[in-house]
PDB file of all heavy atoms in Angstrom:
ATOM      1  N   GLU A   8     -45.526-100.843  -1.638  1.00  0.00           N
ATOM      2  CA  GLU A   8     -44.123-100.887  -2.057  1.00  0.00           C
ATOM      3  C   GLU A   8     -43.639 -99.522  -2.534  1.00  0.00           C
ATOM      4  O   GLU A   8     -42.457 -99.271  -2.620  1.00  0.00           O
ATOM      5  CB  GLU A   8     -43.952-101.888  -3.227  1.00  0.00           C
ATOM      6  CG  GLU A   8     -44.318-103.295  -2.886  1.00  0.00           C
ATOM      7  CD  GLU A   8     -43.140-104.052  -2.305  1.00  0.00           C
ATOM      8  OE1 GLU A   8     -42.003-103.710  -2.671  1.00  0.00           O
ATOM      9  OE2 GLU A   8     -43.352-104.947  -1.470  1.00  0.00           O
ATOM     10  N   ARG A  10     -42.949 -95.536  -2.619  1.00  0.00           N
ATOM     11  CA  ARG A  10     -42.632 -94.529  -1.652  1.00  0.00           C
ATOM     12  C   ARG A  10     -43.730 -93.474  -1.599  1.00  0.00           C
ATOM     13  O   ARG A  10     -44.337 -93.155  -2.595  1.00  0.00           O
ATOM     14  CB  ARG A  10     -41.315 -93.828  -2.002  1.00  0.00           C
ATOM     15  CG  ARG A  10     -40.124 -94.693  -1.911  1.00  0.00           C
ATOM     16  CD  ARG A  10     -39.832 -94.996  -0.451  1.00  0.00           C
ATOM     17  NE  ARG A  10     -38.587 -95.700  -0.329  1.00  0.00           N
ATOM     18  CZ  ARG A  10     -38.446 -96.982  -0.624  1.00  0.00           C
ATOM     19  NH1 ARG A  10     -39.466 -97.672  -1.056  1.00  0.00           N
ATOM     20  NH2 ARG A  10     -37.290 -97.556  -0.508  1.00  0.00           N
ATOM     21  N   ARG A  15     -45.731 -81.415  -4.065  1.00  0.00           N
ATOM     22  CA  ARG A  15     -44.841 -80.284  -3.731  1.00  0.00           C
ATOM     23  C   ARG A  15     -45.421 -79.000  -4.286  1.00  0.00           C
ATOM     24  O   ARG A  15     -45.832 -78.949  -5.439  1.00  0.00           O
ATOM     25  CB  ARG A  15     -43.473 -80.501  -4.414  1.00  0.00           C
ATOM     26  CG  ARG A  15     -42.388 -80.925  -3.477  1.00  0.00           C
ATOM     27  CD  ARG A  15     -41.130 -81.211  -4.242  1.00  0.00           C
ATOM     28  NE  ARG A  15     -40.169 -80.117  -4.176  1.00  0.00           N
ATOM     29  CZ  ARG A  15     -39.371 -79.906  -3.157  1.00  0.00           C
ATOM     30  NH1 ARG A  15     -39.437 -80.669  -2.089  1.00  0.00           N
ATOM     31  NH2 ARG A  15     -38.502 -78.931  -3.169  1.00  0.00           N
ATOM     32  N   ARG A  38     -49.717 -77.771   4.313  1.00  0.00           N
ATOM     33  CA  ARG A  38     -48.852 -78.659   5.126  1.00  0.00           C
ATOM     34  C   ARG A  38     -49.702 -79.693   5.864  1.00  0.00           C
ATOM     35  O   ARG A  38     -49.390 -80.875   5.850  1.00  0.00           O
ATOM     36  CB  ARG A  38     -48.058 -77.825   6.127  1.00  0.00           C
ATOM     37  CG  ARG A  38     -47.134 -78.692   7.008  1.00  0.00           C
ATOM     38  CD  ARG A  38     -46.751 -78.004   8.285  1.00  0.00           C
ATOM     39  NE  ARG A  38     -47.909 -77.873   9.164  1.00  0.00           N
ATOM     40  CZ  ARG A  38     -47.866 -77.281  10.352  1.00  0.00           C
ATOM     41  NH1 ARG A  38     -46.776 -76.716  10.772  1.00  0.00           N
ATOM     42  NH2 ARG A  38     -48.945 -77.211  11.087  1.00  0.00           N
ATOM     43  N   PHE A  42     -48.985 -81.781   2.112  1.00  0.00           N
ATOM     44  CA  PHE A  42     -48.171 -81.279   0.988  1.00  0.00           C
ATOM     45  C   PHE A  42     -46.827 -80.756   1.539  1.00  0.00           C
ATOM     46  O   PHE A  42     -46.745 -80.373   2.708  1.00  0.00           O
ATOM     47  CB  PHE A  42     -48.824 -80.094   0.271  1.00  0.00           C
ATOM     48  CG  PHE A  42     -50.192 -80.375  -0.276  1.00  0.00           C
ATOM     49  CD1 PHE A  42     -50.939 -79.342  -0.844  1.00  0.00           C
ATOM     50  CD2 PHE A  42     -50.780 -81.623  -0.238  1.00  0.00           C
ATOM     51  CE1 PHE A  42     -52.210 -79.550  -1.365  1.00  0.00           C
ATOM     52  CE2 PHE A  42     -52.058 -81.844  -0.736  1.00  0.00           C
ATOM     53  CZ  PHE A  42     -52.766 -80.792  -1.297  1.00  0.00           C
ATOM     54  N   GLU A  43     -45.861 -80.704   0.669  1.00  0.00           N
ATOM     55  CA  GLU A  43     -44.652 -79.966   0.970  1.00  0.00           C
ATOM     56  C   GLU A  43     -44.813 -78.579   0.403  1.00  0.00           C
ATOM     57  O   GLU A  43     -45.143 -78.422  -0.768  1.00  0.00           O
ATOM     58  CB  GLU A  43     -43.417 -80.619   0.387  1.00  0.00           C
ATOM     59  CG  GLU A  43     -42.974 -81.837   1.190  1.00  0.00           C
ATOM     60  CD  GLU A  43     -41.810 -82.575   0.582  1.00  0.00           C
ATOM     61  OE1 GLU A  43     -41.256 -82.117  -0.451  1.00  0.00           O
ATOM     62  OE2 GLU A  43     -41.430 -83.603   1.152  1.00  0.00           O
ATOM     63  N   VAL A  44     -44.611 -77.564   1.240  1.00  0.00           N
ATOM     64  CA  VAL A  44     -44.834 -76.203   0.828  1.00  0.00           C
ATOM     65  C   VAL A  44     -43.555 -75.395   0.907  1.00  0.00           C
ATOM     66  O   VAL A  44     -42.979 -75.245   1.994  1.00  0.00           O
ATOM     67  CB  VAL A  44     -45.881 -75.503   1.759  1.00  0.00           C
ATOM     68  CG1 VAL A  44     -46.276 -74.160   1.174  1.00  0.00           C
ATOM     69  CG2 VAL A  44     -47.098 -76.393   1.976  1.00  0.00           C
ATOM     70  N   ARG A  51     -41.970 -60.770  -3.832  1.00  0.00           N
ATOM     71  CA  ARG A  51     -41.118 -61.444  -4.813  1.00  0.00           C
ATOM     72  C   ARG A  51     -41.367 -60.932  -6.201  1.00  0.00           C
ATOM     73  O   ARG A  51     -42.544 -60.731  -6.591  1.00  0.00           O
ATOM     74  CB  ARG A  51     -41.359 -62.949  -4.759  1.00  0.00           C
ATOM     75  CG  ARG A  51     -40.981 -63.579  -3.433  1.00  0.00           C
ATOM     76  CD  ARG A  51     -39.526 -63.360  -3.126  1.00  0.00           C
ATOM     77  NE  ARG A  51     -39.247 -63.548  -1.701  1.00  0.00           N
ATOM     78  CZ  ARG A  51     -38.041 -63.453  -1.178  1.00  0.00           C
ATOM     79  NH1 ARG A  51     -37.020 -63.121  -1.910  1.00  0.00           N
ATOM     80  NH2 ARG A  51     -37.873 -63.651   0.098  1.00  0.00           N
ATOM     81  N   GLU A  55     -38.014 -64.139  -9.505  1.00  0.00           N
ATOM     82  CA  GLU A  55     -37.663 -64.916  -8.297  1.00  0.00           C
ATOM     83  C   GLU A  55     -38.596 -66.107  -8.164  1.00  0.00           C
ATOM     84  O   GLU A  55     -38.201 -67.189  -7.780  1.00  0.00           O
ATOM     85  CB  GLU A  55     -37.819 -64.068  -7.043  1.00  0.00           C
ATOM     86  CG  GLU A  55     -36.749 -63.010  -6.902  1.00  0.00           C
ATOM     87  CD  GLU A  55     -36.993 -62.177  -5.657  1.00  0.00           C
ATOM     88  OE1 GLU A  55     -36.713 -62.661  -4.553  1.00  0.00           O
ATOM     89  OE2 GLU A  55     -37.527 -61.053  -5.760  1.00  0.00           O
ATOM     90  N   GLN A  58     -37.637 -68.700 -10.685  1.00  0.00           N
ATOM     91  CA  GLN A  58     -36.400 -69.364 -10.246  1.00  0.00           C
ATOM     92  C   GLN A  58     -36.718 -70.404  -9.190  1.00  0.00           C
ATOM     93  O   GLN A  58     -36.268 -71.555  -9.252  1.00  0.00           O
ATOM     94  CB  GLN A  58     -35.442 -68.314  -9.689  1.00  0.00           C
ATOM     95  CG  GLN A  58     -34.080 -68.853  -9.295  1.00  0.00           C
ATOM     96  CD  GLN A  58     -33.127 -67.737  -8.846  1.00  0.00           C
ATOM     97  OE1 GLN A  58     -33.504 -66.570  -8.773  1.00  0.00           O
ATOM     98  NE2 GLN A  58     -31.902 -68.096  -8.551  1.00  0.00           N
ATOM     99  N   VAL A  61     -38.818 -73.398 -10.587  1.00  0.00           N
ATOM    100  CA  VAL A  61     -38.023 -74.307 -11.425  1.00  0.00           C
ATOM    101  C   VAL A  61     -37.075 -75.134 -10.575  1.00  0.00           C
ATOM    102  O   VAL A  61     -37.005 -76.361 -10.675  1.00  0.00           O
ATOM    103  CB  VAL A  61     -37.222 -73.502 -12.512  1.00  0.00           C
ATOM    104  CG1 VAL A  61     -36.223 -74.398 -13.209  1.00  0.00           C
ATOM    105  CG2 VAL A  61     -38.195 -72.910 -13.497  1.00  0.00           C
ATOM    106  N   GLN A  62     -36.349 -74.451  -9.670  1.00  0.00           N
ATOM    107  CA  GLN A  62     -35.349 -75.166  -8.880  1.00  0.00           C
ATOM    108  C   GLN A  62     -36.008 -76.162  -7.932  1.00  0.00           C
ATOM    109  O   GLN A  62     -35.495 -77.257  -7.717  1.00  0.00           O
ATOM    110  CB  GLN A  62     -34.508 -74.167  -8.079  1.00  0.00           C
ATOM    111  CG  GLN A  62     -33.647 -73.277  -8.981  1.00  0.00           C
ATOM    112  CD  GLN A  62     -32.737 -72.345  -8.197  1.00  0.00           C
ATOM    113  OE1 GLN A  62     -32.880 -72.166  -7.023  1.00  0.00           O
ATOM    114  NE2 GLN A  62     -31.799 -71.750  -8.925  1.00  0.00           N
ATOM    115  N   GLU A  63     -37.145 -75.767  -7.370  1.00  0.00           N
ATOM    116  CA  GLU A  63     -37.795 -76.661  -6.416  1.00  0.00           C
ATOM    117  C   GLU A  63     -38.621 -77.738  -7.115  1.00  0.00           C
ATOM    118  O   GLU A  63     -39.149 -78.622  -6.473  1.00  0.00           O
ATOM    119  CB  GLU A  63     -38.692 -75.850  -5.467  1.00  0.00           C
ATOM    120  CG  GLU A  63     -37.960 -74.790  -4.662  1.00  0.00           C
ATOM    121  CD  GLU A  63     -37.094 -75.366  -3.543  1.00  0.00           C
ATOM    122  OE1 GLU A  63     -37.092 -76.594  -3.371  1.00  0.00           O
ATOM    123  OE2 GLU A  63     -36.426 -74.578  -2.847  1.00  0.00           O
ATOM    124  N   ASP A  64     -38.796 -77.583  -8.424  1.00  0.00           N
ATOM    125  CA  ASP A  64     -39.521 -78.566  -9.212  1.00  0.00           C
ATOM    126  C   ASP A  64     -40.890 -78.900  -8.593  1.00  0.00           C
ATOM    127  O   ASP A  64     -41.206 -80.042  -8.326  1.00  0.00           O
ATOM    128  CB  ASP A  64     -38.689 -79.869  -9.362  1.00  0.00           C
ATOM    129  CG  ASP A  64     -39.277 -80.785 -10.435  1.00  0.00           C
ATOM    130  OD1 ASP A  64     -40.018 -80.281 -11.317  1.00  0.00           O
ATOM    131  OD2 ASP A  64     -39.008 -82.001 -10.411  1.00  0.00           O
ATOM    132  N   ARG A 142     -46.988 -87.363 -12.415  1.00  0.00           N
ATOM    133  CA  ARG A 142     -45.810 -87.582 -13.287  1.00  0.00           C
ATOM    134  C   ARG A 142     -45.501 -89.048 -13.390  1.00  0.00           C
ATOM    135  O   ARG A 142     -45.713 -89.782 -12.452  1.00  0.00           O
ATOM    136  CB  ARG A 142     -44.618 -86.842 -12.725  1.00  0.00           C
ATOM    137  CG  ARG A 142     -44.786 -85.368 -12.764  1.00  0.00           C
ATOM    138  CD  ARG A 142     -43.518 -84.786 -12.284  1.00  0.00           C
ATOM    139  NE  ARG A 142     -43.641 -83.361 -12.094  1.00  0.00           N
ATOM    140  CZ  ARG A 142     -42.878 -82.697 -11.275  1.00  0.00           C
ATOM    141  NH1 ARG A 142     -41.944 -83.338 -10.601  1.00  0.00           N
ATOM    142  NH2 ARG A 142     -43.018 -81.404 -11.154  1.00  0.00           N
TER     143      ARG A 142
ATOM    144  N   MET B   1     -40.173-108.499  -6.076  1.00  0.00           N
ATOM    145  CA  MET B   1     -40.840-107.213  -6.289  1.00  0.00           C
ATOM    146  C   MET B   1     -40.473-106.214  -5.184  1.00  0.00           C
ATOM    147  O   MET B   1     -41.309-105.492  -4.681  1.00  0.00           O
ATOM    148  CB  MET B   1     -42.343-107.384  -6.443  1.00  0.00           C
ATOM    149  CG  MET B   1     -43.021-108.129  -5.283  1.00  0.00           C
ATOM    150  SD  MET B   1     -44.809-107.947  -5.390  1.00  0.00           S
ATOM    151  CE  MET B   1     -45.041-106.240  -5.022  1.00  0.00           C
ATOM    152  N   MET B   2     -39.221-106.197  -4.831  1.00  0.00           N
ATOM    153  CA  MET B   2     -38.846-105.314  -3.737  1.00  0.00           C
ATOM    154  C   MET B   2     -38.880-103.838  -4.124  1.00  0.00           C
ATOM    155  O   MET B   2     -39.432-103.025  -3.434  1.00  0.00           O
ATOM    156  CB  MET B   2     -37.468-105.680  -3.245  1.00  0.00           C
ATOM    157  CG  MET B   2     -37.038-104.847  -2.069  1.00  0.00           C
ATOM    158  SD  MET B   2     -35.280-104.832  -1.895  1.00  0.00           S
ATOM    159  CE  MET B   2     -34.730-103.899  -3.272  1.00  0.00           C
ATOM    160  N   THR B  36     -35.694 -84.365  -7.901  1.00  0.00           N
ATOM    161  CA  THR B  36     -37.028 -84.876  -7.547  1.00  0.00           C
ATOM    162  C   THR B  36     -37.067 -86.403  -7.614  1.00  0.00           C
ATOM    163  O   THR B  36     -37.545 -87.053  -6.695  1.00  0.00           O
ATOM    164  CB  THR B  36     -38.086 -84.287  -8.506  1.00  0.00           C
ATOM    165  OG1 THR B  36     -38.050 -82.884  -8.433  1.00  0.00           O
ATOM    166  CG2 THR B  36     -39.488 -84.767  -8.077  1.00  0.00           C
ATOM    167  N   SER B 102     -48.977 -84.801   9.579  1.00  0.00           N
ATOM    168  CA  SER B 102     -49.523 -84.894   8.232  1.00  0.00           C
ATOM    169  C   SER B 102     -48.468 -85.349   7.207  1.00  0.00           C
ATOM    170  O   SER B 102     -48.793 -85.720   6.116  1.00  0.00           O
ATOM    171  CB  SER B 102     -50.051 -83.524   7.796  1.00  0.00           C
ATOM    172  OG  SER B 102     -49.001 -82.617   7.656  1.00  0.00           O
ATOM    173  N   ALA B 105     -44.909 -80.296   5.053  1.00  0.00           N
ATOM    174  CA  ALA B 105     -43.849 -79.448   5.596  1.00  0.00           C
ATOM    175  C   ALA B 105     -43.942 -78.061   4.978  1.00  0.00           C
ATOM    176  O   ALA B 105     -44.307 -77.909   3.809  1.00  0.00           O
ATOM    177  CB  ALA B 105     -42.473 -80.058   5.283  1.00  0.00           C
ATOM    178  N   LEU B 107     -41.460 -75.332   3.955  1.00  0.00           N
ATOM    179  CA  LEU B 107     -40.004 -75.152   3.773  1.00  0.00           C
ATOM    180  C   LEU B 107     -39.749 -73.666   3.563  1.00  0.00           C
ATOM    181  O   LEU B 107     -40.014 -73.125   2.493  1.00  0.00           O
ATOM    182  CB  LEU B 107     -39.556 -75.967   2.558  1.00  0.00           C
ATOM    183  CG  LEU B 107     -40.022 -77.466   2.599  1.00  0.00           C
ATOM    184  CD1 LEU B 107     -39.851 -78.094   1.245  1.00  0.00           C
ATOM    185  CD2 LEU B 107     -39.339 -78.218   3.682  1.00  0.00           C
ATOM    186  N   ARG B 110     -36.176 -70.403   1.794  1.00  0.00           N
ATOM    187  CA  ARG B 110     -36.039 -69.497   0.642  1.00  0.00           C
ATOM    188  C   ARG B 110     -36.409 -68.061   1.008  1.00  0.00           C
ATOM    189  O   ARG B 110     -36.004 -67.133   0.310  1.00  0.00           O
ATOM    190  CB  ARG B 110     -36.972 -69.957  -0.482  1.00  0.00           C
ATOM    191  CG  ARG B 110     -36.386 -71.104  -1.298  1.00  0.00           C
ATOM    192  CD  ARG B 110     -37.097 -71.180  -2.647  1.00  0.00           C
ATOM    193  NE  ARG B 110     -36.292 -70.610  -3.681  1.00  0.00           N
ATOM    194  CZ  ARG B 110     -35.529 -71.320  -4.509  1.00  0.00           C
ATOM    195  NH1 ARG B 110     -35.476 -72.632  -4.414  1.00  0.00           N
ATOM    196  NH2 ARG B 110     -34.835 -70.706  -5.422  1.00  0.00           N
ATOM    197  N   GLY B 118     -32.332 -64.056  -9.346  1.00  0.00           N
ATOM    198  CA  GLY B 118     -32.139 -63.953 -10.784  1.00  0.00           C
ATOM    199  C   GLY B 118     -30.851 -64.594 -11.241  1.00  0.00           C
ATOM    200  O   GLY B 118     -30.527 -64.573 -12.431  1.00  0.00           O
ATOM    201  N   VAL B 122     -26.874 -69.946  -8.680  1.00  0.00           N
ATOM    202  CA  VAL B 122     -27.138 -70.424  -7.311  1.00  0.00           C
ATOM    203  C   VAL B 122     -28.394 -71.266  -7.371  1.00  0.00           C
ATOM    204  O   VAL B 122     -29.497 -70.749  -7.637  1.00  0.00           O
ATOM    205  CB  VAL B 122     -27.288 -69.250  -6.324  1.00  0.00           C
ATOM    206  CG1 VAL B 122     -27.632 -69.758  -4.938  1.00  0.00           C
ATOM    207  CG2 VAL B 122     -26.063 -68.389  -6.296  1.00  0.00           C
ATOM    208  N   VAL B 124     -30.936 -73.399  -5.455  1.00  0.00           N
ATOM    209  CA  VAL B 124     -31.379 -73.710  -4.076  1.00  0.00           C
ATOM    210  C   VAL B 124     -32.503 -74.731  -4.118  1.00  0.00           C
ATOM    211  O   VAL B 124     -33.469 -74.592  -4.869  1.00  0.00           O
ATOM    212  CB  VAL B 124     -31.930 -72.423  -3.369  1.00  0.00           C
ATOM    213  CG1 VAL B 124     -32.381 -72.765  -1.953  1.00  0.00           C
ATOM    214  CG2 VAL B 124     -30.881 -71.338  -3.377  1.00  0.00           C
ATOM    215  N   ARG B 125     -32.343 -75.762  -3.352  1.00  0.00           N
ATOM    216  CA  ARG B 125     -33.375 -76.782  -3.303  1.00  0.00           C
ATOM    217  C   ARG B 125     -33.743 -77.066  -1.846  1.00  0.00           C
ATOM    218  O   ARG B 125     -32.892 -77.346  -1.036  1.00  0.00           O
ATOM    219  CB  ARG B 125     -32.822 -78.058  -3.947  1.00  0.00           C
ATOM    220  CG  ARG B 125     -33.831 -79.178  -4.042  1.00  0.00           C
ATOM    221  CD  ARG B 125     -35.014 -78.783  -4.906  1.00  0.00           C
ATOM    222  NE  ARG B 125     -35.916 -79.907  -4.996  1.00  0.00           N
ATOM    223  CZ  ARG B 125     -36.213 -80.512  -6.159  1.00  0.00           C
ATOM    224  NH1 ARG B 125     -35.726 -80.069  -7.287  1.00  0.00           N
ATOM    225  NH2 ARG B 125     -37.037 -81.537  -6.165  1.00  0.00           N
ATOM    226  N   SER B 126     -35.043 -76.972  -1.562  1.00  0.00           N
ATOM    227  CA  SER B 126     -35.511 -77.278  -0.216  1.00  0.00           C
ATOM    228  C   SER B 126     -35.924 -78.738  -0.159  1.00  0.00           C
ATOM    229  O   SER B 126     -36.546 -79.259  -1.070  1.00  0.00           O
ATOM    230  CB  SER B 126     -36.745 -76.425   0.114  1.00  0.00           C
ATOM    231  OG  SER B 126     -36.504 -75.073  -0.241  1.00  0.00           O
ATOM    232  N   ARG B 130     -39.251 -85.638   5.697  1.00  0.00           N
ATOM    233  CA  ARG B 130     -40.241 -86.662   5.351  1.00  0.00           C
ATOM    234  C   ARG B 130     -40.280 -87.829   6.310  1.00  0.00           C
ATOM    235  O   ARG B 130     -40.717 -88.921   5.949  1.00  0.00           O
ATOM    236  CB  ARG B 130     -40.029 -87.185   3.932  1.00  0.00           C
ATOM    237  CG  ARG B 130     -40.361 -86.155   2.873  1.00  0.00           C
ATOM    238  CD  ARG B 130     -40.395 -86.757   1.509  1.00  0.00           C
ATOM    239  NE  ARG B 130     -40.521 -85.696   0.482  1.00  0.00           N
ATOM    240  CZ  ARG B 130     -40.484 -85.940  -0.792  1.00  0.00           C
ATOM    241  NH1 ARG B 130     -40.322 -87.172  -1.241  1.00  0.00           N
ATOM    242  NH2 ARG B 130     -40.595 -84.951  -1.654  1.00  0.00           N
ATOM    243  N   GLU B 302     -35.338-103.547   3.583  1.00  0.00           N
ATOM    244  CA  GLU B 302     -36.517-103.714   2.728  1.00  0.00           C
ATOM    245  C   GLU B 302     -36.761-105.168   2.396  1.00  0.00           C
ATOM    246  O   GLU B 302     -37.910-105.621   2.384  1.00  0.00           O
ATOM    247  CB  GLU B 302     -36.328-102.921   1.433  1.00  0.00           C
ATOM    248  CG  GLU B 302     -36.518-101.447   1.677  1.00  0.00           C
ATOM    249  CD  GLU B 302     -36.652-100.661   0.379  1.00  0.00           C
ATOM    250  OE1 GLU B 302     -36.967-101.284  -0.631  1.00  0.00           O
ATOM    251  OE2 GLU B 302     -36.449 -99.433   0.424  1.00  0.00           O
ATOM    252  N   ARG B 309     -43.767-109.309   5.616  1.00  0.00           N
ATOM    253  CA  ARG B 309     -45.102-109.250   5.011  1.00  0.00           C
ATOM    254  C   ARG B 309     -45.509-110.626   4.510  1.00  0.00           C
ATOM    255  O   ARG B 309     -46.654-111.031   4.636  1.00  0.00           O
ATOM    256  CB  ARG B 309     -45.119-108.243   3.876  1.00  0.00           C
ATOM    257  CG  ARG B 309     -45.343-106.812   4.319  1.00  0.00           C
ATOM    258  CD  ARG B 309     -45.761-105.931   3.172  1.00  0.00           C
ATOM    259  NE  ARG B 309     -44.750-105.825   2.145  1.00  0.00           N
ATOM    260  CZ  ARG B 309     -43.717-104.964   2.214  1.00  0.00           C
ATOM    261  NH1 ARG B 309     -43.588-104.161   3.236  1.00  0.00           N
ATOM    262  NH2 ARG B 309     -42.827-104.919   1.243  1.00  0.00           N
TER     263      ARG B 309
END
Side-chain angles (χ1 to χ4, degrees):
Chain A
E8 299 272 331
R10 293 290 187 284
R15 254 175 102 80
R38 180 201 69 183
F42 303 175
E43 282 177 3
V44 189
R51 296 301 160 178
E55 288 177 78
Q58 185 176 3
V61 170
Q62 294 184 347
E63 301 287 358
D64 193 21
R142 293 184 189 155
Chain B
M1 54 166 292
M2 183 201 69
T36 303
S102 67
L107 310 167
R110 280 199 101 99
V122 178
V124 180
R125 184 62 177 242
S126 314
R130 291 190 189 175
E302 285 193 19
R309 276 197 297 276

